Amino acid sequence: MILITGATGTIGSQTARLLIERGEAVRSMTRDLSRSPGGEAVQADFEDPRSLRRAFEGVSAALLLTGFGGRLKEHDQAMIEAAVAAGVKKVVKLSAIGTGGTDDPDDVRSWHVPGEEAIKASGMSWTMLRPAGFASNSLGWAEAVRSGGPIPNFTGDGVQPIIDPRDIAAVAVAALTTSAHDSRTYDLTGPDLLSVPAQVAILAKVLARPLETVEIPIEAAKEQMLASGADPSLVTVAATGWTMLKEVGWPQLSDDVQSVLGRPATSYESWVQDHRAAFS
């Protein structure tokens, strides 16, 4: 039995579907059973240790995908303790690219470090997946695209290796179902370095319509997020990430998707082609 935490999210739901298509026994953990992507569904919450123990009963491997936020460290620890107590043999953790590159608590690269270290010390087999920015984040622009308004740009011409979430899920499946990827840490990137204007240009090409961007000062974006009720700690982390991308970008590509899947990483343009209906 393979447990998928975060089973209703972008990566969790796709991983669950791929595993089910392979004929694997899958248990999807969610707080809302009506949203389960398939397989056996279990209702559990990171803040409820008893529910986590139930979720892990009879599980041999698990995808650890904890919700990003101020409680990430505690949620990772709760999941690891439940997994160890249940005798789970393998954990695949969804982390983030650049993890360990700083100990700044306001930098996302420090947030996954405690979880990664706890897994390595747990005695379970492990694989760490550290993806770059998701292509699916572009869905946040859909309303602006449909209305003809400009697409907000917080990172200027800073580039990053945008990855198709389906590639992340496929790598997760490989790591969950074979020992070939045990004790490995994978940086998962797409094949191209793209800025927001470059992404928008690709969107415009695929949709065959003109699209524009508008640069938003990071301080203004922070104020808007705080005014809307966003968690201040997440606002600070977002602003730190935007500043890094704007000033230096993330100009590093990895071939880890190719090495695991035996094919090139999916391009951003291919992702847009497959999701063009969301922008129409």
Side-chain angles (χ1 to χ4, degrees), residues 137-148 151 203 209 278-280:
N137 291 343
S138 302
L139 294 172
W141 303 334
E143 184 176 347
V145 171
R146 289 193 295 264
S147 66
I151 293 169
L203 267 172
R209 51 178 295 196
F279 300 94
S280 301

Side-chain angles (χ1 to χ4, degrees), residues 24-126:
E24 303 287 348
V26 173
R27 182 179 296 161
S28 298
M29 182 181 130
T30 175
R31 288 180 294 182
D32 182 356
L33 293 177
S34 67
R35 298 180 60 204
S36 172
E40 178 185 320
V42 60
Q43 190 172 41
D45 190 289
F46 297 119
E47 299 285 350
D48 182 355
R50 183 177 298 177
S51 73
L52 293 182
R53 288 195 293 271
R54 290 196 303 269
F56 275 102
E57 288 178 0
V59 167
S60 58
L63 176 65
L64 179 54
L65 202 166
T66 38
F68 189 73
R71 295 279 293 163
L72 188 149
K73 175 183 176 181
E74 289 77 12
H75 290 175
D76 272 357
Q77 188 60 45
M79 294 296 297
I80 294 163
E81 289 175 0
V84 170
V88 173
K89 302 300 184 185
K90 178 195 294 284
V91 169
V92 176
K93 174 175 168 54
L94 190 72
S95 186
I97 200 163
T99 289
T102 177
D103 57 5
D104 180 355
D106 292 333
D107 192 317
V108 67
R109 292 175 295 171
S110 72
W111 281 37
H112 285 282
V113 170
E116 287 196 4
E117 292 179 344
I119 288 171
K120 291 177 180 178
S122 70
M124 295 183 288
S125 298
W126 56 266

Side-chain angles (χ1 to χ4, degrees), residues 11-280:
I11 305 302
S13 60
Q14 180 67 16
T15 303
R17 283 192 290 269
L18 290 175
L19 287 167
I20 291 168
E21 289 172 3
R22 285 171 52 102
E24 303 287 348
V26 173
R27 182 179 296 161
S28 298
M29 182 181 130
T30 175
R31 288 180 294 182
D32 182 356
L33 293 177
S34 67
R35 298 180 60 204
S36 172
E40 178 185 320
V42 60
Q43 190 172 41
D45 190 289
F46 297 119
E47 299 285 350
D48 182 355
R50 183 177 298 177
S51 73
L52 293 182
R53 288 195 293 271
R54 290 196 303 269
F56 275 102
E57 288 178 0
V59 167
S60 58
L63 176 65
L64 179 54
L65 202 166
T66 38
F68 189 73
R71 295 279 293 163
L72 188 149
K73 175 183 176 181
E74 289 77 12
H75 290 175
D76 272 357
Q77 188 60 45
M79 294 296 297
I80 294 163
E81 289 175 0
V84 170
V88 173
K89 302 300 184 185
K90 178 195 294 284
V91 169
V92 176
K93 174 175 168 54
L94 190 72
S95 186
I97 200 163
T99 289
T102 177
D103 57 5
D104 180 355
D106 292 333
D107 192 317
V108 67
R109 292 175 295 171
S110 72
W111 281 37
H112 285 282
V113 170
E116 287 196 4
E117 292 179 344
I119 288 171
K120 291 177 180 178
S122 70
M124 295 183 288
S125 298
W126 56 266
T127 307
M128 306 300 176
L129 308 184
R130 295 177 173 178
F134 295 2
S136 56
N137 291 343
S138 302
L139 294 172
W141 303 334
E143 184 176 347
V145 171
R146 289 193 295 264
S147 66
I151 293 169
N153 177 12
F154 309 126
T155 54
D157 292 322
V159 298
Q160 58 177 318
I162 302 295
I163 184 168
D164 187 328
R166 296 172 296 186
D167 285 351
I168 303 170
V171 172
V173 168
L176 287 164
T177 57
T178 175
S179 62
H181 309 289
D182 290 357
S183 303
R184 298 292 301 273
T185 297
Y186 291 122
D187 288 337
L188 303 180
T189 75
D192 304 301
L193 296 171
L194 299 171
S195 64
V196 168
Q199 289 175 260
V200 172
I202 292 170
L203 267 172
K205 173 187 172 184
V206 172
L207 298 175
R209 51 178 295 196
L211 295 173
E212 297 181 349
T213 63
V214 58
E215 289 208 27
I216 307 293
I218 292 174
E219 285 301 316
K222 286 176 61 177
E223 291 173 7
Q224 290 173 5
M225 291 177 69
L226 291 170
S228 69
D231 182 335
S233 65
L234 292 182
V235 173
T236 299
V237 167
T240 300
W242 291 333
T243 300
M244 182 187 74
L245 287 174
K246 188 171 187 176
E247 293 180 352
V248 299
W250 190 267
Q252 299 174 25
L253 294 174
S254 164
D255 63 358
D256 284 350
V257 169
Q258 169 88 48
S259 67
V260 173
L261 301 181
R263 62 164 175 79
T266 307
S267 70
Y268 179 71
E269 183 169 347
S270 292
W271 180 89
V272 173
Q273 289 280 8
D274 291 342
H275 295 83
R276 60 186 302 163
F279 300 94
S280 301

